[in-house]
Amino acid sequence: KNDRSRYLADLERGSIFGEMSVFDAAPYSATVKAREDCSVHVIKGEDFKKFLKKNPSEAYEIFEALVKQLSARLRRSNLAFSLLGFDS
């Protein structure tokens, strides 16, 4: 077990994770561990990109959802840093 493991968030039904590496080709920045049995749908990055190119109206909806989710994560991170005194 990695001694640097940290709890980041609870994910709920419909949550998306691992999306950043699809677009920036970098390794995953975190790992996900289920607390209970669940179903996970895996979409390979290249398949996802092909789908987006072929389906522009669905791509817009997906990108809108991704931007909302990434914005919420960034706001939580900003708040956490602020509470830790890193904003001065």
Side-chain angles (χ1 to χ4, degrees):
K1 181 177 176 178
N2 182 349
D3 60 344
R4 294 184 58 211
S5 294
R6 299 285 184 267
Y7 165 84
L8 296 176
D10 285 323
L11 302 178
E12 298 179 8
R13 182 184 184 106
S15 293
I16 301 166
F17 57 91
E19 74 286 347
M20 294 188 313
S21 66
V22 171
F23 299 104
D24 67 9
Y28 296 124
S29 60
T31 355
V32 175
K33 184 176 181 181
R35 292 184 185 197
E36 57 190 55
D37 288 345
C38 63
S39 295
V40 177
H41 300 274
V42 177
I43 304 172
K44 293 181 181 179
E46 287 307 313
D47 292 340
F48 184 56
K49 288 178 185 178
K50 287 177 189 174
F51 173 83
L52 295 174
K53 288 177 183 175
K54 289 181 181 178
N55 301 281
S57 65
E58 287 86 353
Y60 177 84
E61 291 181 30
I62 290 168
F63 279 121
E64 185 177 38
L66 285 172
V67 167
K68 286 179 182 178
Q69 184 174 3
L70 291 171
S71 295
R73 289 179 189 167
L74 182 58
R75 290 179 194 281
R76 280 194 308 269
S77 295
N78 287 344
L79 177 60
F81 280 121
S82 176
L83 293 172
L84 292 171
F86 290 112
D87 62 342
S88 37

